[in-house]
Amino acid sequence: MEALIPVINKLQDVFNTVGADIIQLPQIVVVGTQSSGKSSVLESLVGRDILPRGTGIVTRRPLILQLVHIDADDRRKTNEENGIDGEEWGKFLHTKNKIYTDFEEIRHEIEAETERISGNNKGISDEPIHLKIFSPHVVNLTLVDLPGITKVPVGDQPKDIEIQIRELILKYISNPNSIILAVTAANTDMATSEALKVAREVDPDGRRTLAVVTKLDLMDAGTDAMDVLMGRVIPVKLGIIGVVNRSQLDINQKKTVADSIRDEYGFLQKKYPSLANRNGTKYLARTLNRLLMHHIRDCLPELKTRINVLAAQYQSLLNSYGEPVDDKSATLLQLITKFAAEYCNTIEGTAKYIETAELCGGARICYIFHETFGRTLESVDPLGGLTTIDVLTAIRNATGPRPALFVPEVSFELLVKRQVKRLEEPSLRCVELVHEEMQRIIQHCSNYSTQELLRFPKLHDAIVEVVTSLLRKRLPVTNEMVHNLVAIELAYINTKHPDFADACGLMNNNIEEQRRNRMRDLPPAVPRDKSLKSPGAQSLSPTEPPPALEGEFSKAAAGGPQNSATGDQAEGGMGTWRGMLRKGEEGALLQPPHPASPQKGHAVNLLDVPVPVSRKLSAREQRDCEVIERLIKSYFLIVRKNIQDSVPKAVMHFLVNHVKDCLQSELVGQLYKTALLNDLLTESEDMAQRRNEAADMLQALQKASQVIAEIRETHLW
């Protein structure tokens, strides 16, 4: 199991090469308050002075420290390959292959790299420094040194320095594969330990927390840490280990770590003889090594699964970016063909990538036809914008200078054409909506269906331009056809249409029924056929026309033939009507008021005679208008039904289907040219960079998978 830690170091090296932090590897994270002795503990484990020292906040960037134990053969081989002389050396990730044999130089490099990123104003950064130490005197460990927990900003530190450090610490200790090394000074109350408090937030069960009590030699006289080290104050599952650090005076006097460890052993034997063999720096190193090995063994199955999943994801991502282009001609033709197929499939609803958030493609076109366009037509009022006065005016204008006995047919045609014309605007709007949707399909195919186009921005722009131009050319043709459909309906008003004839017949029956009802309502003492000629006729309303005219009007509305008998009735009726006018009983016919008698010698301007704007219609006028309105409504509904059916068919034929059929040939004709190959297939720099990053990450994951496979082969797992 000792070889498990070098395996993790290998994995760390693999992912460091690509600068990725997507795999959370097992490591030991050192957490503690400022000046609690974290750096001293790490230096004791290394056996060398490698970390910056001083007062206040010194560690301002995470330091990922990998300790690699090497034997004599490995040391000799490395010395020969790199031309170095020494048994211990260090390497930084940011300095590539440079080897440091002077540990004082390593400390200066850490300070310089910290100031390069974090500045010299006591600020912190979450970008880590990677340092690897090779030595025969260390055990295999991976440790992370973090800035110490502080409460009050000093110097030029930002006001939220406490929050920044806390978030940085939580970022590392939240890794479930990490072991938390909570460092607390012995001369402080264990119950106030900030390190243990933060550790419990992410590890409430304490299954991956180890406590270290530093500065045992600085406790007040007459006190000891026996209860703390025995776990009687605050129990910690992985244990509590006490150590003795070098004081600042020892550091100033250049006291070595080896001498410090020797003095530490003597102190423990003197003060804590029963606990001496379970405390101290050497015992801490062995304990950390053992805990890390067991932790790695527990984490490897999940780690292997995670690596395999990520490898599959990056392989898929790399495939979507495509391979470098070898045959540009074949690649161009393939991309054009694929785009045209995806465009047509999106319209047909058979595309590979189906939108779930909203309607698109053919489904949206169908919605436009049957929901948007259909409902718009149904909302058009057949008599909208047409008042009763408009109808009456049209009837009277169609009769000319002579009073009409029947409703003129010209007035019906004039008014119904005016209403049918209103269907043209929503029809053209339907064409516009379908055109906009076909434009949206271009973007949909570019984003979801053919991601390869994103590699070649110039080809993408050229394809969009060609398809847009094709749609633009078909738009006026389709609009012209829709305009013609409405013009066709306006060109010939087919009053013999079966649906219209049925409506007229039903209307005649209703009018005839109303006439019979009025005849029944006459006084019984008056004979029905003599009612207009008897003196009792004077008691009738002056606004109600004679029954003879009423029957004649109904027959005129039905368009039936007129016989001589009806003509006689009409003549008699008109005579009675004129008699009523002679008696001064003015009905609802439009009679302008008589102007005052002109004075002798003065001309009379008839155009100055005022015409009443609004008045009460006579019964005949009401019936005439009602007949015309019913006929208009009946015929309008027939035309609307035709338009609602024919416009979508025209749009599909002249726009949608034509674009589908001609799209590929248009793209090939416009773009598949030798002179355009190099320009169209110029890959974007961003795409090339992302492909290289994905390839590097995939290679790193494959190497990591091989490393884990080696563990299985050597039965280390």
Side-chain angles (χ1 to χ4, degrees):
M1 284 192 11
E2 183 69 26
L4 286 176
I5 297 178
V7 168
I8 293 300
N9 290 339
K10 271 188 186 179
L11 293 178
Q12 186 71 56
D13 293 341
V14 168
F15 292 117
N16 286 343
T17 57
V18 293
D21 193 22
I22 59 174
I23 297 291
Q24 295 180 322
L25 297 174
Q27 56 193 4
I28 300 171
V29 182
V30 184
V31 180
T33 57
Q34 189 172 298
S35 301
S36 61
K38 302 187 312 300
S39 299
S40 297
V41 171
L42 291 178
E43 286 183 338
S44 298
L45 295 175
V46 176
R48 289 283 194 151
D49 294 334
I50 61 171
L51 300 178
R53 304 301 293 267
T55 58
I57 183 169
V58 178
T59 304
R60 297 188 286 127
R61 287 180 60 184
L63 174 65
I64 299 179
L65 179 62
Q66 292 177 256
L67 305 182
V68 182
H69 178 80
I70 56 173
D71 54 23
D73 294 337
D74 293 334
R75 183 172 69 254
R76 186 169 51 254
K77 181 180 178 181
T78 305
N79 291 344
E80 293 174 356
E81 291 177 353
N82 297 278
I84 60 176
D85 185 16
E87 61 176 8
E88 296 177 305
W89 66 89
K91 291 174 63 176
F92 285 98
L93 177 64
H94 63 273
T95 58
K96 303 304 179 185
N97 296 323
K98 183 178 179 180
I99 295 178
Y100 296 82
T101 56
D102 184 359
F103 284 85
E104 187 71 18
E105 188 178 356
I106 291 178
R107 183 162 58 85
H108 290 316
E109 180 62 29
I110 293 175
E111 292 176 349
E113 181 65 12
T114 299
E115 292 185 359
R116 186 179 68 85
I117 300 297
S118 303
N120 54 7
N121 61 347
K122 302 294 184 180
I124 66 170
S125 171
D126 62 350
E127 184 176 343
I129 300 174
H130 293 268
L131 172 62
K132 185 180 291 188
I133 300 295
F134 299 85
S135 172
H137 308 299
V138 299
V139 294
N140 292 309
L141 289 175
T142 301
L143 304 125
V144 180
D145 187 21
L146 296 176
I149 301 172
T150 185
K151 294 293 184 181
V152 181
V154 296
D156 296 330
Q157 288 181 343
K159 294 183 179 180
D160 62 340
I161 187 67
E162 178 186 1
I163 299 176
Q164 291 184 24
I165 294 176
R166 181 181 177 83
E167 290 177 351
L168 178 60
I169 291 173
L170 290 175
K171 174 184 175 182
Y172 280 88
I173 66 176
S174 297
N175 173 12
N177 296 332
S178 65
I179 295 177
I180 305 172
L181 191 65
V183 179
T184 304
N187 55 0
T188 61
D189 191 349
M190 193 74 168
T192 63
S193 172
E194 287 289 337
L196 287 176
K197 178 184 175 183
V198 174
R200 283 191 174 182
E201 291 183 14
V202 296
D203 182 33
D205 298 333
R207 285 183 287 186
R208 54 187 184 92
T209 300
L210 174 67
V212 176
V213 179
T214 61
K215 304 181 181 180
L216 291 176
D217 56 332
L218 298 181
M219 296 187 69
D220 293 339
T223 62
D224 59 33
M226 184 66 71
D227 291 339
V228 173
L229 297 177
M230 294 292 291
R232 296 169 185 165
V233 178
I234 296 180
V236 179
K237 283 189 178 181
L238 295 185
I240 302 175
I241 299 176
V243 296
V244 177
N245 304 115
R246 289 181 298 168
S247 65
Q248 190 63 42
L249 178 61
D250 294 336
I251 296 172
N252 295 338
Q253 293 178 353
K254 304 297 183 182
K255 184 177 182 179
T256 64
V257 176
D259 293 339
S260 175
I261 292 176
R262 185 169 55 251
D263 293 343
E264 176 192 51
Y265 180 74
F267 175 82
L268 291 174
Q269 288 290 348
K270 178 181 178 181
K271 295 287 293 184
Y272 306 97
S274 60
L275 300 178
N277 59 344
R278 286 181 289 158
N279 289 275
T281 301
K282 290 186 176 180
Y283 180 78
L284 174 62
R286 292 195 302 269
T287 302
L288 290 175
N289 180 264
R290 175 177 53 82
L291 290 175
L292 187 58
M293 283 192 299
H294 286 285
H295 197 63
I296 292 172
R297 184 190 61 186
D298 297 337
C299 294
L300 275 180
E302 182 182 352
L303 192 62
K304 177 180 179 296
T305 303
R306 174 69 174 160
I307 289 175
N308 291 337
V309 170
L310 286 174
Q313 291 177 354
Y314 274 92
Q315 182 65 59
S316 176
L317 183 63
L318 187 61
N319 293 339
S320 67
Y321 293 151
E323 297 293 333
V325 179
D326 295 328
D327 189 348
K328 292 188 176 181
S329 178
T331 301
L332 178 60
L333 184 59
Q334 179 184 3
L335 291 175
I336 289 176
T337 303
K338 187 172 182 180
F339 178 87
E342 290 294 339
Y343 190 91
C344 297
N345 290 339
T346 303
I347 295 177
E348 295 296 333
T350 58
K352 182 179 179 182
Y353 298 92
I354 298 178
E355 184 70 45
T356 58
E358 61 178 354
L359 293 178
C360 71
R364 192 175 186 88
I365 293 175
C366 178
Y367 183 86
I368 293 171
F369 285 156
H370 301 291
E371 297 292 334
T372 306
F373 178 60
R375 290 181 179 178
T376 302
L377 289 188
E378 291 174 0
S379 66
V380 177
D381 184 8
L383 301 175
L386 197 64
T387 64
T388 306
I389 295 298
D390 294 337
V391 176
L392 183 60
T393 303
I395 294 173
R396 298 189 64 185
N397 286 337
T399 61
R402 292 173 297 278
L405 298 177
F406 315 118
V407 179
E409 187 176 350
V410 177
S411 62
F412 164 71
E413 290 195 5
L414 176 67
L415 294 173
V416 81
K417 286 182 179 179
R418 171 179 167 181
Q419 298 305 102
V420 170
K421 184 70 174 175
R422 298 168 59 213
L423 298 177
E424 183 175 6
E425 182 178 353
S427 301
L428 294 176
R429 178 57 181 163
C430 176
V431 178
E432 183 180 349
L433 290 175
V434 174
H435 178 266
E436 291 176 358
E437 177 56 27
M438 297 192 73
Q439 287 276 24
R440 290 178 69 248
I441 296 176
I442 303 175
Q443 192 64 33
H444 174 81
C445 294
S446 301
N447 292 341
Y448 299 99
S449 303
T450 53
Q451 291 189 359
E452 293 90 341
L453 282 178
L454 301 179
R455 294 176 56 193
F456 311 107
K458 292 186 178 180
L459 175 60
H460 175 265
D461 295 341
I463 289 178
V464 171
E465 179 62 30
V466 171
V467 180
T468 303
S469 176
L470 178 60
L471 291 172
R472 193 184 304 118
K473 287 191 296 185
R474 297 306 302 173
L475 184 59
V477 178
T478 309
N479 283 335
E480 182 66 22
M481 182 60 199
V482 171
H483 175 77
N484 288 337
L485 288 175
V486 179
I488 288 170
E489 296 291 344
L490 296 173
Y492 180 67
I493 305 301
N494 182 18
T495 56
K496 292 296 184 180
H497 192 282
D499 295 339
F500 187 68
D502 294 341
C504 290
L506 182 61
M507 194 183 312
N508 292 338
N509 295 336
N510 293 337
I511 294 176
E512 189 65 25
E513 181 67 23
Q514 293 175 4
R515 188 188 68 80
R516 285 196 295 268
N517 292 338
R518 290 192 185 93
M519 293 296 292
R520 283 196 300 269
D521 292 341
L522 290 175
V526 182
R528 295 180 184 273
D529 55 346
K530 304 292 185 178
S531 59
L532 293 176
K533 298 179 181 180
S534 65
Q538 297 298 327
S539 63
L540 295 176
S541 172
T543 60
E544 184 169 340
L549 278 181
E550 182 183 32
E552 197 66 40
F553 177 78
S554 64
K555 293 180 181 178
Q562 308 296 328
N563 51 28
S564 59
T566 58
D568 295 340
Q569 292 175 359
E571 182 64 26
M574 288 299 294
T576 305
W577 193 255
R578 284 193 295 270
M580 293 172 64
L581 291 176
R582 280 196 300 270
K583 293 180 180 181
E585 297 178 7
E586 187 174 316
L589 292 174
L590 187 61
Q591 295 291 338
H594 295 286
S597 299
Q599 296 181 2
K600 188 175 182 180
H602 290 79
V604 178
N605 186 358
L606 296 179
L607 296 179
D608 290 339
V609 177
V611 179
V613 178
S614 62
R615 59 180 175 80
K616 183 179 180 181
L617 301 181
S618 67
R620 176 177 177 176
E621 289 173 341
Q622 289 179 353
R623 283 192 291 272
D624 288 354
C625 292
E626 183 180 352
V627 168
I628 291 296
E629 288 175 354
R630 290 184 179 181
L631 293 176
I632 290 173
K633 184 175 182 180
S634 176
Y635 195 80
F636 181 87
L637 295 179
I638 295 172
V639 175
R640 186 174 72 182
K641 183 178 179 181
N642 294 340
I643 294 295
Q644 190 171 352
D645 179 65
S646 57
V647 167
K649 293 179 179 178
V651 174
M652 286 298 296
H653 177 72
F654 286 91
L655 181 61
V656 179
N657 290 342
H658 187 277
V659 171
K660 283 170 52 183
D661 297 339
C662 301
L663 179 60
Q664 183 167 352
S665 60
E666 188 78 13
L667 288 172
V668 172
Q670 294 286 340
L671 303 179
Y672 192 64
K673 299 177 181 179
T674 306
L676 299 176
L677 283 178
N678 292 330
D679 186 47
L680 292 178
L681 294 182
T682 301
E683 196 172 32
S684 65
E685 296 180 0
D686 180 58
M687 183 60 65
Q689 179 181 356
R690 283 191 285 175
R691 188 199 301 110
N692 293 335
E693 291 176 354
D696 293 341
M697 180 58 67
L698 180 61
Q699 185 179 5
L701 290 169
Q702 290 172 346
K703 288 182 179 179
S705 183
Q706 292 175 0
V707 171
I708 295 180
E710 293 175 1
I711 301 176
R712 281 185 173 275
E713 293 176 1
T714 54
H715 304 287
L716 293 175
W717 191 341

